[in-house]
Amino acid sequence: MGYKRKARIYALQALYMYEIADASIEEIISLNWIPKRSPEEIRQFAIYLIKGSINKLEYIDSLLNRYSKNWRFERISAVDKSILRMSIYSLLFLKDIPISVTINEGIELGKLYGGENSGKFINGILEAIKIGELNDKEDTNS
């Protein structure tokens, strides 16, 4: 497993804690629950994803509301919401990561940690945001 995948898993856990336990950003980015021997690059990328997602939360949630047609925001599971928040942040603000990689990572996390249809649901939302917000730009980094 690559370091970015592991960092995304930690960021997912942190965003889930932020949603469910109402934990503070400081508490979350301390990463106290992950092994102390985790490589620094994993820790730093996870922190970057966590901070970015939380700092842009209002904007990200407004997009989630807009693009989750026929599905009320309140009904989205905390796991799916956490994956989507991180993925939307990555899509819109991490230009060095190919769009297709961000979408595929979101789908895979949904399949691993979400419900039965999470992968499809996450794919639908991320593809809609790609088309609506990124003007369906081609993946120039792939």
Side-chain angles (χ1 to χ4, degrees):
M1 177 182 319
Y3 86 89
K4 286 188 177 181
R5 165 73 60 94
K6 193 66 173 170
R8 286 183 183 98
I9 292 169
Y10 292 149
L12 164 59
Q13 293 170 344
L15 293 170
Y16 180 83
M17 285 190 299
Y18 186 78
E19 176 76 10
I20 296 298
D22 200 28
S24 71
I25 295 175
E26 294 76 23
E27 183 180 356
I28 289 171
I29 63 171
S30 71
L31 302 177
N32 286 333
W33 73 95
I34 69 172
K36 298 292 182 208
R37 64 187 180 279
S38 293
E40 190 61 24
E41 61 190 355
I42 291 174
R43 298 175 84 79
Q44 290 307 311
F45 189 58
I47 290 168
Y48 189 72
L49 290 171
I50 296 161
K51 283 183 173 179
S53 298
I54 291 172
N55 288 336
K56 300 288 187 184
L57 194 62
E58 189 174 315
Y59 177 65
I60 290 168
D61 283 356
S62 74
L63 291 175
L64 265 174
N65 270 307
R66 186 178 334 145
Y67 288 99
S68 59
K69 293 184 167 90
N70 303 321
W71 199 261
R72 287 191 11 242
F73 181 77
E74 299 79 25
R75 289 188 58 212
I76 300 172
S77 76
V79 171
D80 288 355
K81 201 179 292 182
S82 298
I83 294 167
L84 283 163
R85 286 171 169 163
M86 175 178 50
S87 298
I88 292 167
Y89 173 73
S90 295
L91 271 180
L92 300 178
F93 300 103
L94 302 183
K95 302 299 184 191
D96 60 324
I97 299 175
I99 293 166
S100 59
V101 170
T102 296
I103 292 173
N104 288 336
E105 285 292 318
I107 293 166
E108 290 305 312
L109 289 173
K111 288 178 181 177
L112 286 170
Y113 300 104
E116 183 178 332
N117 295 313
S118 291
K120 291 178 186 177
F121 177 69
I122 289 167
N123 182 46
I125 300 289
L126 296 178
E127 286 291 337
I129 289 173
K130 172 187 161 192
I131 292 166
E133 300 301 313
L134 301 174
N135 299 319
D136 201 19
K137 293 179 185 170
E138 288 300 313
D139 219 343
T140 56
N141 295 338
S142 52

